[in-house]
């Protein structure tokens, strides 16, 4: 058997785990690992400009492909810089392995140079973590890390590796552990049959049903099953921010997103529903609004792989713990067998929903003022983006108004097309995540819809795009403000804009993009928008930064009224539902 | 309601800190916590007591179960169970009256004297937490005391096992 050093074992284990790309940043404690990387070809390392971006890029790669993303950082500041990325992945259940260098074993606890207790710091935001203390344990720890990250409810796993156990002078035989079996970790995949039967019975007897689907459907690759089930039932479906694309956004059965900035029809249908099938969703506070007023008449069927998500915020009448994919498939076959023609009539329900759509829906008519001349409405930018990319681009996003406009107006027909930080809401996610997506799909259009606030949180990665030839397109909805903050200040603080404005300090983004070797464009008039967007996406092998000056006054609507039920919404600046 | 929860987990470094972290992270209280390896050295048995309504108890059990190192979790208070806690108390008592009163209490509560000086007794007492509290209530006024308690141990009655 070949004998390898700890550093070489790490790299071999990555290779044997099927990892082709890792994102990272070197430093003292990780240098043996970096040297081992240098001396082989199987695993490609992409150097970023900040460790947060390494983790976001690995995360974007994972979200777009369904594979586990990998990042490598050094100890101390390298490790702490990775924390925001890890927390982002944790909140959205994204499978990642983050390998961090650590000071040598005998120095742990001595306040050594660049020592941080990475296991302790990351503990609340990881699915699991390993501090490896022997070279002999490295391969098993890495194998387990990938297994744990990718099974059950996925999530990030940290592997912290002290420098001395990667020492090149200590070599041991290496063997890849292959199949992992852990007595303490056996994720359940299949839902309970009896519960599924009960659920289907309720579902087919419903008069006012709705499907509420979340990110779990995408993570479990259950979109096909979901789509078939919903079409078979001919029921309305809504989606969380994280679930967009699991069911085609252009299908008439789709009511749009629900929750804080969801459509009126989705929120009203939830509120009035008699049966809700929640699948891969977790009744987040950005969905439910006031729990006490949540969907008073509904029987709730809740399908989720994580038992802790079930009956956490809202009691489920029919809980089903299992993978979305297997449960939905089973439901579909039971629905097909049921003779529901006799007792199923949802036509008056659909009539009501269509009235809501006609009256308030943002897809039946524009509810925002029109763009004209120098006034560019951010909603229209997303519509143009949609048209120019034929609805086919990967869209990553940051956090703020631009994110909500992208979620509302880009109708995602496919899962994994929409990539954003939903749970943690991390500004700075969009650009590095787009790099990860572009790496996975070099030929695809990858648009990062961002704001002038968010983009500056990881702007340094424009340099990474140059180095690794990642021709992403940055669609900067520049409203000269931390727009979402300002919207809340308009609505709740009488327009006192505490620290949400930049006082003319914004950089010239066009010049900035050019300084990094990219193409910069500034759009100031609505009639330039289409042609310039066309030009942007025609430059296939270039990074293009479109700085689009949008209406600084615009708000995101609908918006749930705090403390209300789901359907209590602001429809515009003056009108409540 | 008071809950006694048993956890069987891998005897690995970091496992205990994950349990403790879970409680602080999710805003649950730990009233007592005991942990030691089992007959199988690769496993640890942990007993913790907390207070909460049934929703919270359900979440705690599920969250504990979700930890990767956890094999089994059981809320003992859902069924019938035996609970024991060990207490050591040192109490000052130098005159004859107080020494006699302490001896009486020890007899009533079936405690043992494990150390004695001219001015102190050190007493060992075993029982459920209520009994230990009652003993403290009975002797507290006699002298100044120092108390150390093990935290609660629990096991289900009958033929229910919490094993691998
Ligand atoms: C790292 C981080 N810090 C602060 C916030 C709070 N926050 C949410 S939205 C927002 C404003 C974002 O501004 P911009 O990126 O320009 O987007 P806009 O809302 O203007 O479209 C802020 C500060 C956050 N989500 N993330
Ligand atoms: Mg802005």
């Amino acid at each position: 058997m070949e004998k390898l050093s700890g550093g070489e074992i790490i790299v071999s284990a990555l290779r044997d785990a099927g990892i082709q790309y890792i994102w990272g940043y070197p430093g003292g404690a990780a240098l043996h690992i970096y040297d081992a990387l240098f001396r082989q070809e199987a695993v490609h390392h992409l150097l970023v400009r900040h460790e947060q971006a390494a983790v976001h890029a690995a995360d974007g790669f994972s979200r777009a492909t369904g594979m586990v993303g990998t990042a490598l950082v050094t100890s101390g500041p390298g490790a702490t810089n990775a924390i925001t990325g890890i927390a982002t992945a944790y909140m959205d259940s994204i499978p990642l392995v983050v390998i961090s260098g650590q000071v040598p074993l005998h120095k742990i606890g001595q306040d050594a140079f660049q020592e941080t207790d990475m296991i302790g710091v990351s503990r609340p935001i990881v699915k699991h973590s390993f501090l490896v203390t022997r070279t002999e344990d490295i391969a098993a720890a890495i194998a387990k890390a990938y297994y744990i990250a990718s099974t059950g409810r996925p999530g990030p796993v940290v592997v912290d590796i002290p420098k001395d156990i990667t020492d090149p002078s200590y070599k041991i035989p290496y063997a890849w552990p292959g199949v992992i079996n852990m007595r303490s970790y056996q994720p359940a995949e299949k839902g309970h049959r009896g519960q599924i039967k009960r659920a289907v019975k309720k579902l087919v007897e419903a008069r006012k049903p709705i499907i509420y689907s979340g990110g779990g459907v995408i993570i479990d690759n259950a979109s096909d099953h979901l789509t078939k089930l919903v079409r078979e039932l001919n029921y309305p479906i809504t989606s969380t921010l994280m679930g967009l694309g699991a069911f085609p956004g252009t299908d008439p059965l789709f009511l749009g997103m629900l929750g804080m900035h969801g459509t009126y029809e989705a929120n009203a249908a939830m509120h009035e529903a008699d049966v809700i099938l929640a699948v891969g969703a977790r009744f987040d506070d950005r969905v439910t609004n006031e729990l006490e007023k949540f969907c008073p008449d509904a029987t709730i069927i809740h399908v989720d792989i994580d038992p802790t998500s079930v009956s956490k915020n809202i009691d489920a009448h029919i809980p089903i713990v299992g993978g979305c994919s297997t449960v939905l498939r089973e439901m579909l076959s039971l629905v097909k067998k049921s003779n529901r023609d006799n007792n199923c009539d949802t036509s008056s329900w659909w009539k009501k929903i269509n009235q809501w759509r006609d009256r308030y829906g943002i897809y039946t008519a524009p509810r925002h003022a029109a763009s004209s001349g120098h006034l560019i409405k951010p909603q229209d930018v997303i519509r143009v983006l949609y048209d120019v990319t034929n609805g086919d681009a990967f869209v990553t996003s940051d956090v703020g108004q631009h994110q909500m406009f992208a979620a509302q107006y880009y109708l995602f027909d496919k899962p994994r097309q929409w990539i954003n930080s939903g749970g943690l809401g991390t500004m700075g996610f969009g650009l590095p995540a787009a790099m990860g997506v572009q790496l996975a799909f070099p030929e695809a259009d990858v648009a990062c819809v961002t704001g002038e606030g968010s983009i500056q949180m990881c702007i340094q990665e424009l340099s990474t795009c140059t180095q690794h030839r990642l021709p992403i397109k940055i669609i900067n909805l520049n409203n000269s403000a931390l727009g979402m903050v300002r919207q809340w200040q308009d609505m709740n603080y009488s327009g006192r804009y505490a620290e949400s404005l930049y006082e003319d300090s914004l950089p010239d983004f066009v010049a900035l993009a050019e300084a990094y070797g990219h193409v910069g464009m500034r759009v100031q008039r609505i009639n330039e928008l289409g042609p310039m967007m066309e030009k942007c996406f025609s430059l296939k092998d270039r990074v293009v930064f479109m700085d689009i000056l949008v209406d600084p006054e615009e708000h995101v609507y609908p918006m749930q009224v705090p403390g209300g039920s789901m359907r209590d919404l602001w429809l515009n600046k003056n009108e409540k539902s | 309601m008071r809950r006694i929860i048993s956890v069987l987990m891998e005897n690995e470094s970091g496992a205990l800190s994950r349990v403790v972290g879970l409680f602080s992270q999710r805003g649950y209280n730990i009233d007592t916590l005991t942990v030691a390896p089992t007959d199988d050295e690769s496993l640890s048995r942990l007993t913790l007591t907390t207070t909460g309504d049934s929703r919270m108890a359900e979440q705690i059990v599920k969250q504990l179960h979700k930890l990767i190192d956890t094999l089994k979790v059981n809320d003992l208070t859902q069924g019938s169970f035996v609970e024991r806690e060990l207490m050591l108390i040192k109490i000052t008592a130098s005159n004859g009256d107080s020494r006699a009163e302490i001896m009486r209490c020890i007899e009533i509560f079936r405690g043992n004297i494990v150390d004695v000086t001219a001015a102190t007794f050190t007493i060992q007492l075993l029982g459920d937490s209520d009994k230990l509290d009652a003993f403290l209530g009975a002797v507290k006024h006699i002298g100044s005391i120092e108390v150390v308690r093990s935290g609660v141990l629990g096991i289900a009655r009958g033929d229910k096992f919490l094993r691998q």
Side-chain angles (χ1 to χ4, degrees), chain B residues 3 9 13 25 41 51 63 65 83-84 89 93 95 111 118 132 151:
Chain B
R3 311 272 168 181
M9 58 195 318
S13 76
Q25 219 174 301
E41 291 266 317
T51 33
Q63 292 285 357
H65 205 87
E83 92 173 82
R84 287 290 180 275
I89 321 124
N95 68 48
L132 306 192

Side-chain angles (χ1 to χ4, degrees), chain B residues 28-46:
Chain B
Y28 313 137
N29 289 319
I30 299 182
D31 297 326
T32 73
L33 172 66
T34 69
V35 58
T38 66
D39 55 323
D40 175 349
E41 291 266 317
S42 70
L43 295 172
S44 283
R45 172 74 174 250
L46 195 143

Side-chain angles (χ1 to χ4, degrees), chain A residues 452 479 481 483:
Chain A
E452 78 303 314
N479 55 6

Side-chain angles (χ1 to χ4, degrees), chain A residues 399-402 425 427 451-454 457 479 481-485 502:
Chain A
V399 179
Q401 293 182 319
H402 61 271
M427 291 171 68
E452 78 303 314
S454 296
M457 286 217 179
N479 55 6
L482 300 173
M484 188 58 93
V485 171
Y502 314 100

Side-chain angles (χ1 to χ4, degrees), chain A residues 90 119 123-124 127-129 144 148 153 182-185 306-315, chain B residues 10 17-18 21-22 24-26 40 42-43 55 58-59 62-63 66-71 164:
Chain A
Y90 181 70
I119 298 296
R123 198 198 57 230
K127 182 171 175 186
H128 198 59
S129 52
K144 281 184 188 169
I148 292 169
R153 179 177 182 173
M182 294 172 71
R183 62 180 177 182
S184 66
Y185 175 67
D306 180 0
T308 68
S309 288
V310 178
S311 298
K312 179 177 62 183
N313 300 332
I314 296 286
D315 277 325
Chain B
E10 296 287 354
S17 74
R18 275 188 257 268
L22 176 70
S24 60
Q25 219 174 301
R26 304 239 166 221
D40 175 349
S42 70
L43 295 172
R55 175 187 228 124
E58 185 185 325
Q59 265 298 312
K62 285 175 172 177
Q63 292 285 357
K66 189 172 160 182
L67 295 175
I68 303 293
D69 289 330
T70 304
L71 280 89
Q164 202 231 315

